Every structure is written in C-alpha cells, then in structure tokens.
Amino acid sequence: MQFPNETKAAEQKRVTYVDDIINQQLQETQINIEQAQHERRQVELNFGANTRANYIETDDIIETNATLQQQRQLMTSAVSNEEILQQKQRALQALAGSPYFGRIDIQEDGDNDTLYIGTASLSDEQGEFWVYDWRAPIASIYYNGTLGQVHYEAPAGRQEVTLQRKRQFSIRNGQIENMFDTNETIGDEILKNALGQASSAQMKNIVATIQRAQNQIIRDTKTALLIVQGAAGSGKTSTIMQRIAYLLYHSRQQLDAEQIILFSPNNLFSNYIAQVLPSLGEKNMRQVTLQTFLARRLHGVQIQSLFQRFEQDQTTYSPALHQIRQYKDSLDFVTALQAYGRQADLTQAFCDVIFEGRVFFKKEEIQSLYHQLPQALSSADKFLQTKNALIKKLQHHLHQQEQADWVLEALDDMSEAQYQQITQKLNLENYTSSQQQQLLARKFLKDYYRPVYAALYNDYFFDIFKLYQNFLQHVRPDSISPTTWQEMIADVNDNLEHHYLQLDDASALLYLQQLVTGSGQNQRIKYLFIDEMQDYSAMQLAYIQHSFPNAKLTLLGDIEQNVYAHQQLSQKRFETLTHLFPQKKAALITLNQSYRATAAITNLAKQFIPSGAQIQAFNRAGELPTLWISDAESCQAKTLQLAQEFAKKYRSVAIITKTQQQAQKLSDIYQNQASLLTEQNSKIPDGIVILPVYLAKGLEFDCVIGYDVSTQNYSSSNDWGILYTIATRALHQLNFTCNQQPATIFQQVQPQSLHIKTI
C-alpha cells in the first residue's frame, strides 16, 4: 500500500498502518514462540527416553552414539529457533507505538526512493520494507548527510546518492507529536524535546538523536584502539551502548554479546545502562568492575576498591604517598614490570608441592629443573617447560605405582559403590583380567593424585607474591628516596600478611603473573570497552589489555572528571595511550558538545575546570544555579528543605556529597526522608537520594544539590574537578549548599552565571 506523504495527515495514516503491521506480527510471533517452546519441551522429554546408552555390543554403541548426535542436533535447533523468535519479538516490541523517527528521500541511479528509519527493520509478507534499521548502511545518510550529493559505505563499496529530503518525527503511542523537514543531522527541536524530559531510572537508547560525531564513533569497525574524550553530558556512554548494538548488527555472523566486555565504574551504573541493548533487540554484553575483575583472579585476597582508596586519601594522603602513587600510575612502572617479567629469575619464587601433609615435589627439585633450561629462553617459556617437566614426572610416578601393593590392596578393599564409580566410564568388557586390573589401577591413581595435578595445573608450585616483592626491590625510581621506597615495600608485605592488596599493587602483581606464566588470557573476547577510563592507571590498562589480547579497545572518559584526584591529568593523557598500545591502530575523537544539562547549568559547570572554554552548551533554557550560604546546622536543614521542594516537581533529586562518610551522616540526620545509596545498591529509587560523588559518575538526575561546598570541604584546586562532576549530574536544576565560606572557585565564576543567597 502506498500513501501520499507530504502532509502530517498522510504521515499519520502511514504510522497507523505500520503500527497495525507490527501488532499483527507481534500476535503471530507470540503464537510461534509458544509453539517453539512446546517443541523444545517435547525434545527435552524425548531426549532421556531416546538416548539410554547401550555399550554392550559394537552395533549398539554405534546406534547409541548416532541417536545421541541426532537428539543433540534437535535440541540445538529447537533452542535456536526459540531464541530467533524471541529476538524478533523484542525488536517488534521496540517498534510498537513509535515505529520510526526519521525519513530520507533519495535518488540513486535515476530512481527515487523513500526510506523510514527506526530502531529495527520491519517488512511485510510481500517483503516490502516499511522501516529500515538505524544500523543499516544506507541509514548512515540520515545521521551524516545534508541535502545534496552524499555517500554511504555498503558491502559492495562506496555508494553515491542524492539526498532530497530529511524528515524527523516524534511519535508516541502511535501518534505523531511533532514532525519537520531539516538539513541538519538532528534538529534542535527534536533534541530539546528529548533532553527536556524527566530523568528515568535507567538509561534509554539515543538512536533517534544520534549526532554526526557520535555516529562516527558508533560505526567505526576498523580502529583497534578508539579513544573517546568527551565532556560531561556529551553522550559518551550512550554512544558506546549504541556502538555495541551496531557492532552486533554489523558482525552478526562473527560476533555475539558474550564476546564483548564492558568495564563499568560500579554496579549501580551497570544496572543503570542494563536496558539500552534489550530496547534495541540485542542481548547485553558482559559487564564487570575493575575491583571485581581483580578480586576474581586473586582468590582469598581482599582488593582495595577505588572508593576505599578515595575515602582513605581524604584523611591519610601524604607527599610521600603522592610520589609513590604517581610512579605506580605511570608508563614507566609498566615498562619496568614488562622488562622484569621477560627475563625474571623465578628461582626464589618456587615452593614445595604438598600432598597429604608431605612434600611431593621439593622446591629444590623444581629449581633444578628450571636451571637446566637454556638461559636465552624467556621467563614464560622456562616456566611452561618447568611445569610440563613436573607433569611428566607425576605421570611417570603414577606409571611406577600401577603394580604397587598399596594400590592393589586399595582396589581389593573397594566397596561395590566405589567400584561402580571408578568403572562407570571404563568399558572393561573387551579386556582380559590383567588388562582390566591395569586400567583400574590407572584410573584409581589418576583420581588419587588429582590434587597434585591440580596444584601443577594451577601453578601452586610458584609464589607470585614473593616474585612481586622481589620486583619492587629492583625498580625504585631516582625521584623517590630509598627510605620512602622501603617503607612502601614493608607496607605491601604487611598487607600480604593480612591477605590484602592495594589497588595499584593488585593489577601489577596479576600482570606480572601473566607475563611470567604465560597464562590467564582470554582469547575469545573481540571487543573491550572501558568507561571512565581516566580513573585507570597505565598499569591497570596494560593488564586488562594483556588479559584480552585479541580484543579491539574502546576507551572513553573525561579527563576533567578526575574525582580520584591523586594525580593531575594533562590534556595529553589520552594521546599517551598510543604509547601504551603501540601495536594497535589508534584514533582519538573529542566530544565537546554537552547535551545533558540546561545551558545555564553547563555554562556554570565548565567554569570549574581549565578546559571549560572548549565545552559547548546546548541551547536549552533553564533556571540559573543557586549557591545557598549558611551555618553548619542551617546547611543541613536547607539541603533537605530544597530537596523536598524539588521532589514535588521532579522524579529524581540527588544530594551529592564529597565522601561516603558525609553521605552517611546526612542519612542519619534525615532518617527516612531520603534514601542513602552505597556500592551495594543495584538501582536508583525515585525521590530524594543521598550519594557520594564517585557513585554519581555516569548517572544523571532531574535535580542535583551539591552538599557543603565550603573551603573546608573543598580546599584545593584538585577538588574543582569534583565540583564539575557534581554540577554535570543535573538535567534541569542545580543548587549548592555551603557551610559559611564557599570554596574559592565560586568567587572566580562569572557573577551572571550563579545566584548566591545567604540564609
């Protein structure tokens, strides 16, 4: 069916028709899903009945194996069919009520065509496309092109077309709320409408408002190291989520969500972005925090988190600690560890292998095997050959024990249940009695000495903690005094005695372990994303990249949101990453346009940071931010009063403190009038919430109140980035409360950008 398409009425008629197609397909898909689920359950029920193993006769074995293979194929097919239908259902649900947001009229090879762009493709039974997926190659014209001659990249190569019209829609519940023609990527009116809405408990997809620079990031499939430096509110995280959706679409046959991993700042943030990909019909990628990633690889050792380090720095930070932290965060520390790891002498790190309370392999024996290897080999090669030699020794020992009296006695003393357990995977029918005895002895010995094999396989004959301590003895930089360095090593040793490691030591130790053992790498991950990457040291980035050697990297962050201000980041910080990963083709994209907040909020926030002049505020009207000055008791009362007033107007009101301790104190005072957010929270409740600034990173709220921005609380220029982070969490309303004297930065901002009121 064709429609005249110049008027709003005609466009509305088309929307209604397309919605009817969607609803009809949803009904059909639901019926098909129920049928697929029924078929899968039938296969599951038949699986056990049809695959009872018969291993008595050769013909029976062949028949049983064939049946098993057939049933597995049926099961795989049934599950796959159900998953395809469910994916189609998710895509249709995303289209329902708002089937598309854009239209392009093009002329290609003399033919005119009109295409509508939405979150997924939609075609009818005749194969006619009513909606094109925003990720389709031709849809890039909508985001990148202006009227006239344009091009797009298709599988067949570069295609030239003439863009004759670009129309944008705002459609809700099947009704067109707004539509207009434009020559821009996304018109300001559509963008203002999207940005002016109240916040939501979870991040939404932004496919209808993707900007040209964001689209460049999303569709880049060639760059191995993509670095995105973006101002707060520039849509970095949203863009990256759309990038993941695009990659899954673009490489559907070669890539699945399990091959993508995202390092996020905290669990609260992970939950906040959890619905973006499902809203586009895609499965979520794997997510992990840095602290969790490290802790999983150091069992039995408590790892310091970034939050804990920040809180500790507020009270115990010293010039000596600053020197050490600066070095451990540097590229020089990475280079020193890599050099040490390539040719380290592992002799002193070997230890005894204990089995049943006795030494099975002495460390001297292991050292001897290690020393017999060629000196020219790398540490990793020598370690692997030593490990293989130990396994061969274990296998030789097992072979020697097959006829030992204690083994034969153990076999004779077995109960019927033990005998059945050891023989269940052995086909003994076709062997002589002596051969059966030998097979039973081998199986018994293999099970008996399994803990020894596990110890070798898991490198328990090697003490990585001792090797790391030895490494630290050799890498003191000239800028740090011997006394200060030795005190640091003593602290590391003391921490290890208490099964505890600081964050910078944990990543260095694990990286060293990978370098000298050649293990611990995940070859399957194809794409690695790191959000808030300005919070990561060079060592942490090097270790993560080494853990996923085949992955293309996308790193995004904002150097000005350096809440963990142990180090002043320069504008060149992101560019130096190319030196950290020289083997990867790199690209740096900067996003200076800030969309999140009103122009009034952005224009104040950017005055808190050195590079603020580069940030461009989106022209969305709103009230000026206000600073309220009072005494200590009035500050707490005024903060709650403001929050309660704004809670009548907005869904979310956040009181953001500098530290968790301050947040806890306010929560105790306010009791049930506000919700305290901690690291353990998985979602953000509606209403008034209290949280420290480091938990607020990446999140947004309708209204933000920065609590106690006094000189006592924000005493140095290192804190201005924290104030910038607080201010840029606000969508519509920003206030600060202050105990007596405000931080000096407030005296430097333009008077017309801030209301100051004294209580």
Side-chain angles (χ1 to χ4, degrees):
M1 182 182 294
Q2 300 297 321
F3 296 102
N5 48 25
E6 300 302 323
T7 66
K8 184 175 180 180
E11 291 284 16
Q12 180 59 60
K13 188 176 181 181
R14 187 184 194 280
V15 169
T16 302
Y17 183 81
V18 172
D19 242 1
D20 288 342
I21 295 175
I22 294 168
N23 290 328
Q24 177 64 33
Q25 290 191 10
L26 273 171
Q27 293 176 18
E28 294 170 357
T29 303
Q30 182 58 40
I31 293 171
N32 291 336
I33 287 174
E34 291 171 0
Q35 178 64 30
Q37 289 172 339
H38 173 74
E39 291 174 0
R40 174 178 53 78
R41 285 192 291 268
Q42 287 300 117
V43 172
E44 289 172 346
L45 289 172
N46 293 335
F47 191 84
N50 293 339
T51 58
R52 289 194 178 92
N54 188 337
Y55 294 112
I56 304 302
E57 302 293 339
T58 302
D59 289 345
D60 292 330
I61 294 171
I62 295 172
E63 183 180 348
T64 297
N65 287 335
T67 304
L68 279 169
Q69 184 65 23
Q70 183 183 33
Q71 290 297 313
R72 289 194 188 101
Q73 289 174 351
L74 285 171
M75 179 65 75
T76 301
S77 177
V79 171
S80 176
N81 184 41
E82 188 177 341
E83 288 178 349
I84 291 170
L85 288 168
Q86 288 172 338
Q87 185 175 12
K88 181 180 180 180
Q89 184 183 53
R90 290 193 296 268
L92 288 168
Q93 288 169 341
L95 292 176
S98 182
Y100 43 82
F101 50 79
R103 163 187 163 179
I104 52 174
D105 293 5
I106 62 173
Q107 185 179 76
E108 186 173 14
D109 298 330
D111 295 328
N112 295 320
D113 204 358
T114 297
L115 291 77
Y116 287 81
I117 314 297
T119 58
S121 295
L122 178 72
S123 59
D124 58 22
E125 292 179 353
Q126 288 72 43
E128 181 176 355
F129 270 86
W130 291 90
V131 183
Y132 283 81
D133 193 298
W134 65 278
R135 296 166 290 187
I138 200 168
S140 65
I141 296 172
Y142 177 74
Y143 297 109
N144 290 343
T146 54
L147 300 186
Q149 287 298 118
V150 295
H151 70 272
Y152 66 95
E153 297 296 331
R158 181 177 171 128
Q159 306 295 312
E160 301 282 347
V161 301
T162 302
L163 179 59
Q164 300 173 321
R165 169 184 286 158
K166 184 185 295 186
R167 177 168 287 178
Q168 296 169 20
F169 300 91
S170 177
I171 303 172
R172 190 190 303 270
N173 298 325
Q175 298 297 312
I176 297 176
E177 295 182 340
N178 195 7
M179 60 169 262
F180 59 90
D181 293 341
T182 179
N183 192 35
E184 301 298 324
T185 303
I186 302 296
D188 279 2
E189 291 306 313
I190 291 285
L191 203 49
K192 283 180 183 178
N193 180 61
L195 298 171
Q197 296 176 11
S199 66
S200 59
Q202 292 185 305
M203 180 182 284
K204 301 175 183 176
N205 74 69
I206 61 165
V207 293
T209 57
I210 292 169
Q211 303 296 293
R212 186 191 298 268
Q214 295 170 337
N215 194 49
Q216 180 185 354
I217 295 166
I218 290 167
R219 293 175 184 263
D220 187 336
T221 59
K222 297 179 180 178
T223 304
L225 173 60
L226 182 60
I227 305 163
V228 181
Q229 154 60 29
S234 59
K236 296 183 298 297
T237 303
S238 298
T239 300
I240 291 308
M241 296 304 293
Q242 317 309 309
R243 172 167 167 73
I244 294 171
Y246 176 80
L247 291 170
L248 289 169
Y249 175 91
H250 178 271
S251 305
R252 184 74 70 196
Q253 302 303 317
Q254 299 83 33
L255 182 69
D256 62 55
E258 286 295 309
Q259 294 172 299
I260 302 174
I261 188 167
L262 168 66
F263 279 75
S264 62
N266 53 67
N267 294 326
L268 190 63
F269 178 83
S270 296
N271 185 74
Y272 177 62
I273 65 174
Q275 289 305 311
V276 176
L277 290 175
S279 74
L280 296 169
E282 302 290 355
K283 291 181 180 178
N284 264 321
M285 71 277 129
R286 297 163 66 178
Q287 284 194 69
V288 69
T289 64
L290 174 62
Q291 199 271 342
T292 300
F293 181 72
L294 298 175
R296 285 175 182 171
R297 284 151 181 78
L298 281 170
H299 302 291
V301 180
Q302 183 184 352
I303 309 296
Q304 179 189 46
S305 69
L306 269 172
F307 304 154
Q308 291 167 339
R309 188 169 79 175
F310 176 81
E311 295 286 342
Q312 183 179 333
D313 286 350
Q314 300 308 304
T315 56
T316 62
Y317 203 56
S318 66
L321 181 60
H322 175 76
Q323 278 187 307
I324 292 170
R325 182 86 54 79
Q326 220 171 17
Y327 175 61
K328 286 188 175 181
D329 282 357
S330 72
L331 206 57
D332 290 341
F333 191 52
V334 176
T335 304
L337 184 133
Q338 289 171 336
Y340 180 85
R342 282 192 293 269
Q343 296 299 331
D345 182 2
L346 308 184
T347 305
Q348 299 305 314
F350 292 125
C351 51
D352 296 335
V353 176
I354 308 297
F355 177 60
E356 294 190 334
R358 295 185 304 235
V359 176
F360 192 88
F361 286 120
K362 292 183 178 180
K363 67 178 180 180
E364 290 81 8
E365 182 181 2
I366 302 171
Q367 290 169 343
S368 176
L369 290 171
Y370 181 80
H371 281 305
Q372 291 171 24
L373 297 169
Q375 291 297 310
L377 290 177
S378 68
S379 299
D381 286 338
K382 292 170 75 173
F383 181 89
L384 181 60
Q385 290 194 30
T386 301
K387 182 174 180 174
N388 289 338
L390 289 171
I391 292 173
K392 286 181 180 178
K393 277 182 167 288
L394 174 61
Q395 291 170 341
H396 180 68
H397 176 77
L398 266 61
H399 181 68
Q400 287 183 322
Q401 295 292 308
E402 285 178 9
Q403 298 300 321
D405 290 343
W406 71 273
V407 175
L408 300 177
E409 290 173 5
L411 292 174
D412 289 340
D413 292 340
M414 279 185 181
S415 66
E416 182 64 25
Q418 290 172 320
Y419 182 82
Q420 290 297 329
Q421 184 178 4
I422 200 171
T423 59
Q424 63 180 350
K425 293 185 179 180
L426 295 176
N427 179 19
L428 301 176
E429 296 295 327
N430 300 321
Y431 293 95
T432 65
S433 177
S434 61
Q435 289 173 327
Q436 290 180 5
Q437 185 81 0
Q438 187 179 33
L439 287 171
L440 285 170
R442 286 177 184 174
K443 182 67 169 64
F444 169 78
L445 286 166
K446 187 176 181 180
D447 291 344
Y448 183 75
Y449 284 105
R450 194 177 300 279
V452 180
Y453 177 78
L456 299 180
Y457 181 80
N458 293 303
D459 304 335
Y460 293 159
F461 59 96
F462 174 72
D463 188 344
I464 185 60
F465 302 105
K466 187 176 290 185
L467 188 69
Y468 182 64
Q469 291 165 323
N470 187 60
F471 161 69
L472 290 177
Q473 293 288 355
H474 290 82
V475 293
R476 179 184 65 83
D478 294 337
S479 58
I480 300 177
S481 71
T483 302
T484 299
W485 192 253
Q486 289 303 317
E487 288 174 352
M488 180 275 296
I489 293 176
D491 285 341
V492 172
N493 295 343
D494 184 61
N495 286 336
L496 287 173
E497 288 290 327
H498 293 88
H499 304 282
Y500 175 81
L501 269 177
Q502 293 190 349
L503 193 57
D504 45 13
D505 291 311
S507 52
L509 183 145
L510 285 167
Y511 189 19
L512 180 61
Q513 183 179 44
Q514 281 189 358
L515 291 173
V516 299
T517 65
S519 61
Q521 293 179 303
N522 186 327
Q523 307 285 344
R524 190 168 179 268
I525 297 297
K526 293 184 178 180
Y527 282 92
L528 169 65
F529 293 81
I530 297 179
D531 202 354
E532 303 291 354
M533 58 81 54
Q534 72 276 1
D535 298 335
Y536 290 70
S537 69
M539 183 66 74
Q540 290 158 3
L541 292 171
Y543 169 60
I544 292 170
Q545 192 277 330
H546 192 266
S547 298
F548 305 100
N550 296 330
K552 291 184 177 181
L553 274 64
T554 302
L555 312 179
L556 60 148
D558 180 4
I559 55 176
E560 299 294 0
Q561 293 187 64
N562 186 26
V563 169
Y564 310 102
H566 50 267
Q567 162 186 13
Q568 287 296 311
L569 292 173
S570 71
Q571 290 289 342
K572 295 183 179 180
R573 169 67 186 271
F574 286 84
E575 297 173 23
T576 61
L577 290 168
T578 57
H579 297 293
L580 192 59
F581 312 120
Q583 73 280 15
K584 293 186 177 291
K585 178 186 175 183
L588 170 65
I589 297 178
T590 302
L591 302 176
N592 286 326
Q593 178 79 59
S594 181
Y595 298 100
R596 176 184 293 133
T598 64
I601 292 173
T602 301
N603 286 331
L604 172 67
K606 69 184 198 176
Q607 296 178 62
F608 293 154
I609 55 175
S611 63
Q614 301 173 19
I615 298 175
Q616 303 164 22
F618 182 69
N619 185 26
R620 181 164 68 89
E623 296 180 25
L624 279 183
T626 302
L627 170 63
W628 302 83
I629 303 174
S630 63
D631 57 36
E633 281 193 25
S634 299
C635 180
Q636 294 166 356
K638 184 62 179 178
T639 300
L640 180 59
Q641 179 194 340
L642 287 169
Q644 290 173 330
E645 289 176 3
F646 291 126
K648 297 174 184 177
K649 181 179 179 182
Y650 297 115
R651 186 195 70 83
S652 63
V653 178
I655 301 171
I656 303 180
T657 64
K658 187 179 184 183
T659 67
Q660 181 66 36
Q661 184 179 8
Q662 293 168 357
Q664 183 65 60
K665 182 178 178 182
L666 274 189
S667 178
D668 292 341
I669 294 170
Y670 297 162
Q671 296 183 352
N672 297 326
Q673 299 177 89
S675 301
L676 175 67
L677 296 186
T678 68
E679 296 174 58
Q680 284 69 46
N681 284 93
S682 59
K683 62 180 181 179
I684 307 168
D686 291 351
I688 303 170
V689 295
I690 308 169
L691 71 163
V693 62
Y694 50 72
L695 271 185
K697 293 180 68 173
L699 306 180
E700 59 187 26
F701 304 90
D702 292 317
C703 172
V704 166
I705 303 171
Y707 173 72
D708 189 15
V709 294
S710 63
T711 51
Q712 184 177 3
N713 201 19
Y714 292 88
S715 56
S716 73
S717 58
N718 286 343
D719 291 331
W720 302 164
I722 298 177
L723 292 172
Y724 169 72
T725 304
I726 291 174
T728 53
R729 300 308 94 203
L731 285 168
H732 312 300
Q733 192 89 36
L734 174 64
N735 282 257
F736 296 99
T737 57
C738 175
N739 174 11
Q740 297 176 343
Q741 185 68 29
T744 55
I745 190 67
F746 286 98
Q747 301 168 19
Q748 301 169 20
V749 301
Q750 298 171 356
Q752 66 270 26
S753 63
L754 178 69
H755 285 313
I756 299 179
K757 297 184 179 181
T758 303
I759 303 172

